[in-house]
Amino acid sequence: MRPLPPALSTFAPEVDRIFAFVHGTAAIALAVVVIALVVLAVRHRRRRGVAAAPPSVSRAWLALELAWAVAPVVPFALMFHWGFQAYLRQSIAPDDAYVVHARARQWAWEFEHPNGITEDNELHVPAGRAVRLVLSSSDVIHSFFAPELRVKRDAVPGTFTSLWFEAIERPDVPLEGDLSVPDARRIWYRAPILCAELCGASGRWGPNAGHATMSAEILVMRPEDFDAWVSTPGCLGFPPATTLEWGQQLFSMKGCTACHAREEGAPPLAGPSLHALFGREVRMASGEVVIADEAYVREAILQPHARVVAGFDPVMPRIRMSDEQLDALLEYLRTL
Ligand code: HEC
Ligand SMILES: [Cu+2]
């Protein structure tokens, strides 16, 4: 049997015990039923010269029938009780939890910390502290799934859902550097985030778009290091040396790659190819033709539905970004 992923939250051991109990009980029940079925079918098979006996209605039979109708209630009741207790513990976050807003969109995750800093497809959290995620979606249903933390919850447009977890401290993973000074770049360990929503969109929109591409990462830090990270201005993703590199990094972190090809001659995905966009004549669905200059591209990103390119559906999400990020992105787009 394939082992479960590493258990990296305080919930995980209990979730795994319940999981093992449910599967163990089901396996035993399956074995008992299948063995009884085979044995009885062989023993009572049709034989030449032996007439079928009518079903017996003795008291002993009645007792037996009652026993196997009632007995399974016990493990089911246990499963319910145990599972419900764990569900309640997972539902109600401690009052002092650190609250992060997690926004899902096609096809990326955005996380906003209490002090207003946001990060894309990465979520820094402290180990050993309760973290509550308030989930929302700006388009379709998504599903936040962190298998190693054993948490999963849908992000539903028009409402908020929430989940919480506490990432464990891992003495088994050595921390590097001088531990006496907090280091805003020191990551203790990582855990993947997936979108567990299933739908047919990826088929319609090409191989690079879809919930399956919404992979992100939880970066667990020592609490001291996390405090340093969260209070360092400009700490996000530590913008690389040049604006151009930053723009390139943002292009994939903000999820643009899911819908826009960049190579010359590449077929369009859900959105037009952005190769040699600047200076191009773009025909809009309204019939208007515009030259793609700086102002146009800016508008196309900040207000995607203001003008829609002919031949495409208005599916580009509004992607929040700072002016600095937008400048960097434009600088990168210019080079394509
Ligand atoms: C879910 C798919 C999707 C994502 C993600 C997406 N776009 Fe788009 N984009 C589109 C579609 C569809 C259009 C064409 C329709 C329209 O104009 O709204 C478009 C249009 C554009 C245009 C105008 C292109 C032209 O030919 O005139 C630009 C520029 C652009 N997107 C940039 C971006 C950037 C930068 C990102 C990432 C921050 C991004 N897009 C993310 C789907 C997407
Ligand atoms: Cu999704």
Side-chain angles (χ1 to χ4, degrees):
M1 194 164 60
R2 206 163 155 251
L4 294 172
L8 301 181
S9 72
T10 49
F11 293 138
E14 185 180 38
V15 171
D16 292 358
R17 279 195 294 274
I18 298 174
F19 190 76
F21 176 69
V22 171
H23 279 77
T25 314
I28 293 170
L30 181 73
V32 169
V33 169
V34 169
I35 292 171
L37 194 76
V38 171
V39 168
L40 293 176
V42 170
R43 241 180 83 180
H44 298 287
R45 71 188 181 280
R46 190 160 74 160
R47 271 169 292 188
R48 230 170 248 277
V50 181
S56 141
V57 280
S58 66
R59 281 179 150 264
W61 264 112
L62 191 65
L64 192 61
E65 292 268 1
L66 269 176
W68 68 49
V70 172
V73 171
V74 176
F76 278 135
L78 266 174
M79 275 176 209
F80 174 77
H81 175 75
W82 197 2
F84 192 59
Q85 294 286 317
Y87 176 79
L88 285 183
R89 268 193 289 281
Q90 286 210 10
S91 301
I92 303 160
D95 288 343
D96 60 352
Y98 180 79
V99 180
V100 176
H101 284 260
R103 303 192 186 94
R105 64 172 143 80
Q106 292 166 332
W107 308 100
W109 297 99
E110 182 196 87
F111 301 100
E112 185 174 337
H113 291 261
N115 64 359
I117 60 172
T118 60
E119 42 180 344
D120 298 282
N121 290 327
E122 279 186 349
L123 171 60
H124 289 73
V125 298
R129 278 193 211 156
V131 175
R132 186 161 87 95
L133 293 189
V134 177
L135 299 162
S136 60
S137 164
S138 46
D139 37 52
V140 299
I141 300 180
H142 297 274
S143 185
F144 181 96
F145 182 30
E148 305 193 339
L149 304 180
R150 309 290 192 270
V151 288
K152 177 159 107 181
R153 185 123 322 165
D154 279 5
V156 182
T159 187
F160 291 115
T161 53
S162 110
L163 62 83
W164 76 279
F165 60 81
E166 183 181 318
I168 56 166
E169 311 206 329
R170 291 186 69 183
D172 59 312
V173 177
L175 275 158
E176 275 153 33
D178 179 358
L179 297 189
S180 61
V181 260
D183 180 348
R185 290 166 182 249
R186 181 162 43 215
I187 305 298
W188 200 345
Y189 61 91
R190 291 155 186 266
I193 299 170
L194 307 165
C195 178
E197 193 58 44
L198 282 178
C199 84
S202 56
R204 185 160 78 88
W205 283 359
N208 296 323
H211 298 283
T213 63
M214 296 174 62
S215 53
E217 231 177 4
I218 298 178
L219 310 177
V220 182
M221 306 178 82
R222 207 165 59 125
E224 304 87 300
D225 296 340
F226 177 79
D227 290 340
W229 178 84
V230 86
S231 52
T232 308
C235 55
L236 286 167
F238 294 105
T242 69
T243 324
L244 185 59
E245 268 171 30
W246 191 26
Q248 179 167 18
Q249 183 185 318
L250 286 168
F251 193 80
S252 56
M253 288 191 82
K254 294 266 178 201
C256 320
T257 40
C259 300
H260 293 289
R262 283 164 288 177
E263 304 76 34
E264 183 161 13
L269 305 169
S273 164
L274 298 184
H275 177 76
L277 171 66
F278 277 82
R280 191 201 286 169
E281 280 190 359
V282 185
R283 178 176 292 279
M284 297 294 144
S286 60
E288 181 195 3
V289 176
V290 296
I291 306 282
D293 56 9
E294 179 127 287
Y296 166 76
V297 176
R298 219 183 164 82
E299 181 195 82
I301 296 172
L302 293 182
Q303 292 164 269
H305 299 173
R307 284 186 284 187
V308 175
V309 181
F312 291 90
D313 294 330
V315 293
M316 176 159 161
R318 273 192 56 203
I319 298 169
R320 288 152 30 109
M321 61 184 88
S322 66
D323 285 352
E324 291 81 2
Q325 290 177 323
L326 186 59
D327 287 342
L329 250 180
L330 288 184
E331 183 152 339
Y332 171 64
L333 291 180
R334 221 175 253 294
T335 64
L336 294 179

